[in-house]
């Protein structure tokens, strides 16, 4: 923090003195992450920083900024700088930026692109919003299977600078169909007289342009790759997706899931940049849904109010929290397993069997603890009367059934949502808890009515 304060002081001194040459030299010596922090600290000077930096460093800084900051800066940059920045930006980063812009703003940026870059940008923007096609870049190196190693190396020297990465080379046929990929390491270690076809191992992993980005994250995670090729339905190679883009997607997915776990819609911008109105709008919907759910809880209590004693009512929070907690646990575990690719829709029956067994075991544990609690309280206070064993039995059986039911609801709801095409993260902890609360109370009062019917008449 002290280092950042010193950087801010030096920057402010350069600007105050009008010493743009020293400012340029100082900014170009910093890491791009340091420049990004300076833009956060001195937002009014963000456009000046990008105007001052060399174009390559300006692009590297711009691409790691959050979208609201990008949008604010791009509006204040000079037209020549915007034109240079947009044209030189990697296609995948440019597509990501353009996809966030609205209407006329996109048109104004597209006009600044060269004809070739404009065609490329419009092509990438033609893919669905959350598809792999939006992430891919057309900057990669392809080779032919009959090429010799010297020819491959000569090809890399000629076109490597324009490529997003040269760690992996892609082997295509005369029609542009992807055959395989080979590592640059294998090329460098191969004998000069060797051919590309001898380096092919036929262990190709590829993505399709229309694949969901979330699926691409899983494939990257499972295969430990720095880049993967993207093809169409005829296996024609279209581009590549690199690990840096996947990390951004994974971070966005994680952020959205965490917000949905808390019972709110995902925020499109950083929390501090969201207006109060937007914040209320994002949270109000789920709160209304949860409130309506709790109205059913109140209705169940009102329906049984003639049978409620103070002792029975005091145990309601114990019952409700146990079912809600078990449901929330199960929901969180399954959603996480789905996100990691450990569980698919086809595994629903296996998951159900596991949750029946685990839910039953957990319910028995809590049921025993509930019986002990009531017995201990009765021994000290005698507040449950002569029928305390019946009450303890009713509570214990209720806990077994409620915890089991909560585990089933929490584990199956993500599968149902995924089958319906919704985000499983929407089965958030508050939502599951509210759903289990209503049914849990009904189970509790049913056991009370059956077991204690002669006592509470």
């Amino acid at each position: 923090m002290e280092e950042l304060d010193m950087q801010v002081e030096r920057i402010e001194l350069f600007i105050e003195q009008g010493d743009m040459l020293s400012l340029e030299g100082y900014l170009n010596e910093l890491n791009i992450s340091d420049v990004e922090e300076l833009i956060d600290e001195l937002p009014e000077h963000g456009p000046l920083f990008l105007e001052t930096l060399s174009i390559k460093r300006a692009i590297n800084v711009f691409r790691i900024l959050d979208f609201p900051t990008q949008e604010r800066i791009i509006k204040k940059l000079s037209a020549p700088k915007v034109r240079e920045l947009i044209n030189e930006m990697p296609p995948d980063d440019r597509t990501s930026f353009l996809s966030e812009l609205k209407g006329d703003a996109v048109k104004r940026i597209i006009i600044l692109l060269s004809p070739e870059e404009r065609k490329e940008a419009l092509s990438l923007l033609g893919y669905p919003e959350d598809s792999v096609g939006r992430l891919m870049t057309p900057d990669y190196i392809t080779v032919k299977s009959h090429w010799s190693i010297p020819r491959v190396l000569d090809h890399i020297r000629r076109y490597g600078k324009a490529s997003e990465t040269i760690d992996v080379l892609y082997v295509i046929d005369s029609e542009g169909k992807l055959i395989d990929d080979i590592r640059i390491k294998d090329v460098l270690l191969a004998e000069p007289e060797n051919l590309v076809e001898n380096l092919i191992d036929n262990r190709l992993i590829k993505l399709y342009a229309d694949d969901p980005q979330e699926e691409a994250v899983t494939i990257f995670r499972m295969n430990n790759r720095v880049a993967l090729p993207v093809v169409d339905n005829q296996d024609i190679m279209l581009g590549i997706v690199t690990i840096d883009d996947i990390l951004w997607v994974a971070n966005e997915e994680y952020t959205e899931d965490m917000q949905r776990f808390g019972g709110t819609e995902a925020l499109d911008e950083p929390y501090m940049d969201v207006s109060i109105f937007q914040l209320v709008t994002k949270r109000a919907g789920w709160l209304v849904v949860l409130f309506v759910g709790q109205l059913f809880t109140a209705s169940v209590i009102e329906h049984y109010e003639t049978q409620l004693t103070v002792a029975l009512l005091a145990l309601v929070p114990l019952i409700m929290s146990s079912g809600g907690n078990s449901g929330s646990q199960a929901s969180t575990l399954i959603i996480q397993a789905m996100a990691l690719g450990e569980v698919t829709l086809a595994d629903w029956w296996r998951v159900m069997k596991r949750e029946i067994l685990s839910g039953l075991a957990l319910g028995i544990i809590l049921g025993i603890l509930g019986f002990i609690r009531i017995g201990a309280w009765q021994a000290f206070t005698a507040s449950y009367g002569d029928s305390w064993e019946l009450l303890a039995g009713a509570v214990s059986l209720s806990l077994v059934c409620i915890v089991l039911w909560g585990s089933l609801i929490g584990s199956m709801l993500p599968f149902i949502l995924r089958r319906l095409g919704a985000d499983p993260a929407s089965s958030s902890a508050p939502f599951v808890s509210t759903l289990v609360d209503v049914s849990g109370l009904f189970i509790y009062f049913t056991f009370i009515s059956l077991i204690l019917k002669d006592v509470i008449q």
Side-chain angles (χ1 to χ4, degrees):
M1 191 65 186
E2 292 181 3
E3 184 178 353
L4 178 60
D5 291 338
M6 291 176 61
Q7 291 173 348
V8 169
E9 289 179 8
R10 292 192 66 177
I11 292 291
E12 289 178 331
L13 180 61
F14 290 145
I15 294 175
E16 184 181 340
Q17 295 175 345
D19 190 352
M20 295 298 105
L21 192 61
S22 296
L23 176 63
E24 179 182 359
Y26 184 67
L27 289 176
N28 280 319
E29 289 177 0
L30 296 175
N31 293 325
I32 59 171
S33 57
D34 293 331
V35 180
E36 187 265 341
E37 288 184 357
L38 285 171
I39 291 176
D40 287 341
E41 289 293 319
L42 303 168
E44 69 278 11
H45 296 310
L48 175 61
F49 295 165
L50 263 68
E51 291 277 6
T52 303
L53 288 168
S54 63
I55 186 60
K56 184 176 181 180
R57 287 179 59 79
I59 289 171
N60 287 332
V61 171
F62 188 80
R63 65 193 295 193
I64 66 172
L65 298 174
D66 58 70
F67 173 71
T69 305
Q70 288 180 330
E71 187 177 28
R72 174 173 53 79
I73 287 178
I74 206 79
K75 290 178 180 178
K76 297 181 179 180
L77 289 177
S78 64
K81 192 69 174 184
V82 172
R83 185 185 304 276
E84 190 179 20
L85 187 71
I86 294 299
N87 276 283
E88 295 295 328
M89 192 182 297
D92 51 341
D93 292 312
R94 180 169 58 228
T95 302
S96 177
F97 174 61
L98 292 176
S99 64
E100 295 281 356
L101 292 175
K102 309 297 181 185
D104 292 339
V106 178
K107 295 179 183 178
R108 286 197 297 269
I109 296 296
I110 290 291
I111 290 173
L112 296 174
L113 294 172
S114 65
E116 184 178 340
E117 297 288 350
R118 188 182 308 154
K119 181 180 178 181
E120 191 174 88
L122 291 174
S123 173
L124 291 175
L125 285 171
Y127 292 102
E129 183 176 352
D130 293 321
S131 68
V132 169
R134 287 291 188 98
L135 295 176
M136 70 180 182
T137 174
D139 296 333
Y140 55 91
I141 294 180
T142 58
V143 297
K144 301 295 180 62
S145 60
H146 62 274
W147 285 9
S148 66
I149 297 302
R151 183 172 179 180
V152 171
L153 294 175
D154 183 61
H155 187 70
I156 293 172
R157 293 187 193 98
R158 183 175 300 180
Y159 299 104
K161 288 184 179 179
S163 177
E164 181 86 0
T165 177
I166 61 171
D167 290 345
V168 183
L169 311 178
Y170 301 93
V171 186
I172 60 172
D173 64 15
S174 57
E175 297 179 352
K177 289 186 177 180
L178 180 63
I179 299 174
D180 205 346
D181 56 7
I182 56 176
R183 297 178 299 172
I184 188 65
K185 173 185 175 182
D186 295 332
V187 174
L188 295 175
L189 295 178
E191 297 296 332
E193 64 274 11
N194 216 335
L195 300 179
V196 169
E197 62 187 14
N198 296 325
L199 303 180
I200 292 174
D201 59 11
N202 295 313
R203 291 187 293 181
L204 176 66
I205 300 171
K206 59 191 175 183
L207 302 171
Y208 289 92
D210 292 327
D211 284 347
Q213 294 177 2
E214 186 177 345
E215 186 176 319
V217 173
T218 302
I219 293 174
F220 264 87
R221 183 187 295 116
M222 298 296 290
N223 293 282
N224 192 28
R225 297 295 187 97
V226 296
L228 283 177
V230 182
V231 299
D232 63 11
N233 293 329
Q234 283 74 46
D235 282 338
I236 301 296
M237 187 157 182
L238 303 174
I240 64 172
V241 173
T242 52
I243 187 65
D244 58 327
D245 297 311
I246 289 298
L247 289 174
W248 279 106
V249 172
N251 181 62
E252 289 177 357
E253 290 289 337
Y254 174 79
T255 301
E256 289 179 4
D257 287 350
M258 288 303 100
Q259 290 167 350
R260 290 194 175 104
F261 282 155
T264 180
E265 291 182 38
L267 302 180
D268 300 323
E269 301 174 17
Y271 176 84
M272 296 304 294
D273 294 327
V274 177
S275 67
I276 298 298
F277 176 77
Q278 289 176 308
L279 202 58
V280 171
T281 303
K282 292 286 187 181
R283 296 168 65 179
W286 272 111
L287 282 178
V288 170
V289 171
L290 297 175
F291 179 76
V292 171
Q294 292 297 346
L295 288 179
F296 287 105
T297 302
S299 298
V300 172
I301 293 176
E302 289 172 355
H303 177 74
Y304 288 96
E305 63 180 346
T306 56
Q307 304 174 33
L308 288 177
T309 64
V310 173
L312 294 178
L313 190 60
L315 295 171
V316 166
L318 175 73
I319 299 296
M320 291 176 64
S321 64
S322 298
N325 290 341
S326 67
S328 299
Q329 282 183 338
S331 177
T332 301
L333 289 173
I334 298 304
I335 292 171
Q336 179 71 2
M338 282 183 168
L340 294 175
E342 299 170 352
V343 168
T344 65
L345 281 175
D347 296 318
W348 72 271
W349 176 239
R350 292 176 59 199
V351 171
M352 177 179 280
K353 289 190 293 185
R354 290 171 63 88
E355 286 301 320
I356 289 175
L357 293 176
S358 59
L360 188 60
L362 293 169
I364 291 173
I365 292 172
L366 295 188
I368 293 173
L369 291 176
F371 194 97
I372 293 173
R373 188 270 182 198
I374 292 175
W377 198 256
Q378 172 67 16
F380 284 105
T381 65
S383 57
Y384 293 123
D386 297 333
S387 302
W388 72 269
E389 297 98 333
L390 294 177
L391 174 60
V395 169
S396 297
L397 289 174
S398 298
L399 284 169
V400 172
C401 292
I402 289 169
V403 172
L404 173 59
W405 176 242
S407 297
L408 284 175
I409 289 291
S411 61
M412 290 297 104
L413 194 56
F415 284 100
I416 295 171
L417 291 172
R418 174 63 66 84
R419 172 60 68 184
L420 295 175
D423 189 345
S426 298
S427 57
S428 61
F431 182 70
V432 171
S433 294
T434 301
L435 191 61
V436 176
D437 283 350
V438 180
S439 50
L441 281 177
F442 182 77
I443 292 172
Y444 172 57
F445 289 134
T446 298
F447 275 110
I448 291 296
S449 299
L450 291 175
I451 296 176
L452 298 175
K453 60 182 179 179
D454 297 329
V455 178
I456 58 178
Q457 285 180 347

